[in-house]
Amino acid sequence: MDRLDFATISAYLNGAHLTRWHPPGHEPVLFMSERAVLEPGKAIRGGVPICFPWFGGAGDPSHGFARISPWSAEIGSDDRVSFSLIDNEATRDTWPHAFAATFDVTGGDALKLRFSAKNTGDKPFTFELALHTYLAVADVRNVTLTGFADCDYIDQLDDNRTVTQQGEPTIAGEVDRIYQNHTADVTITDPGLSRCITVKKTGSRSTVLWNPHIAKAKRLDDFGDDEWPQMLCVETANIGDHAVSLAPGASHETTVRIEVDHV
Ligand code: TA6
């Protein structure tokens, strides 16, 4: 008897945090740690954390306040959820700017994400962004990546040295790289799950590639010691030299389209 299966998405108002995208005929595409902490004001280990208005330790809290702030949401008719966050006393205490951020999620056979930030104040500001996407893989040591060859990256594990990627990266240890001026599609071919994930983006010139491997996984309380082989972060971002400056009234949009195909 014919059955209709639809993609499922799950998200939390806390951080406008997308935690699940399960397209029909595939295993879930986003990784979620079994030790993720699901509490208001806490970052969630997995899915797509929104790092805004800065990345990493460029401010306090690390990776910005967006991923630990309460967003509002409107659920659209076409499998779309639209989150929004505007400046408030708490955000202004850490970042003295007026802004309106939106994050649109559309599930289905492909996952479509759209982040937009608007300067609603009377002075210019510059922001960083990373849609810190945790992708689920069978074993990160066995995946094949494309889209990074010959691109320069900042190696966050080697004193932020700039390195030119020779060939395509493999994940044989901890990897924490910010690829510069990177706009190419990325593919992750995963023989263990017999699938290929493709990440396509617009409005982004940084891509972060991260896997904690053994030692860092052990240092993360909300990450199982044995979970690191099951994930790879491919983060659509604008960081450092690619941070975005907005004049009053201006806005900027970043989109990501994630597809998954059997191989
Ligand atoms: O995007 C890579 C990274 O900056 C790594 O250095 C690692 O810290 C990761 O983000 C996770 O950060 P979090 O604050 O979520 O533990």
Side-chain angles (χ1 to χ4, degrees):
M1 182 161 69
D2 290 344
R3 187 183 73 186
L4 298 177
D5 288 327
F6 299 93
T8 54
I9 55 176
S10 303
Y12 290 87
L13 291 176
N14 178 58
H17 199 122
L18 175 65
T19 54
R20 182 178 178 85
W21 172 51
H22 189 175
H26 289 282
E27 295 296 313
V29 178
L30 300 179
F31 166 86
M32 274 293 288
S33 171
E34 290 179 2
R35 298 178 58 173
V37 175
L38 300 175
E39 291 175 14
K42 297 273 190 187
I44 299 173
R45 182 69 62 196
V48 183
I50 299 174
C51 304
F52 170 86
W54 56 77
F55 179 80
D60 182 21
S62 177
H63 284 330
F65 49 73
R67 67 173 180 168
I68 55 174
S69 294
W71 292 54
S72 60
E74 285 183 20
I75 297 178
S77 56
D78 53 350
D79 262 358
R80 186 171 55 84
V81 183
S82 189
F83 296 94
S84 60
L85 176 70
I86 58 176
D87 61 287
N88 56 53
E89 189 176 341
T91 67
R92 289 189 295 268
D93 281 349
T94 59
W95 196 58
H97 298 293
F99 69 91
T102 62
F103 183 56
D104 296 337
V105 177
T106 306
D109 289 346
L111 178 66
K112 299 175 276 296
L113 309 177
R114 175 188 172 277
F115 177 92
S116 174
K118 180 174 183 179
N119 182 343
T120 56
D122 57 7
K123 57 183 180 180
F125 65 61
T126 298
F127 72 91
E128 293 179 320
L129 171 72
L131 299 178
H132 197 296
T133 307
Y134 286 72
L135 297 172
V137 296
D139 188 331
V140 75
R141 293 163 290 193
N142 299 333
V143 305
T144 302
L145 300 174
T146 69
F148 297 99
D150 306 323
C151 185
D152 286 351
Y153 63 88
I154 294 171
D155 188 343
Q156 297 206 100
L157 301 175
D158 186 5
D159 200 24
N160 288 334
R161 194 163 63 93
T162 297
V163 181
T164 300
Q165 177 66 50
Q166 302 301 322
E168 297 290 355
T170 55
I171 314 294
E174 184 178 357
V175 167
D176 196 347
R177 302 173 181 175
I178 305 173
Y179 286 85
Q180 300 292 95
N181 206 17
H182 181 265
T183 56
D185 294 356
V186 169
T187 68
I188 303 98
T189 300
D190 180 356
L193 287 174
S194 303
R195 71 183 184 186
C196 178
I197 298 172
T198 302
V199 181
K200 305 181 179 190
K201 64 175 188 173
T202 66
S204 158
R205 292 176 60 196
S206 314
T207 298
V208 182
L209 188 66
W210 178 60
N211 181 279
H213 207 250
I214 299 167
K216 182 144 190 182
K218 285 182 176 166
R219 297 199 298 268
L220 297 172
D221 294 338
D222 59 348
F223 195 98
D225 292 356
D226 59 356
E227 288 186 314
W228 61 269
Q230 301 155 34
M231 53 70 68
L232 180 64
C233 282
V234 178
E235 305 168 34
T236 301
N238 287 305
I239 298 169
D241 292 347
H242 304 313
V244 176
S245 295
L246 293 180
S251 58
H252 182 273
E253 174 182 288
T254 295
T255 70
V256 187
R257 177 184 176 89
I258 301 179
E259 299 172 350
V260 58
D261 298 292
H262 294 290
V263 294

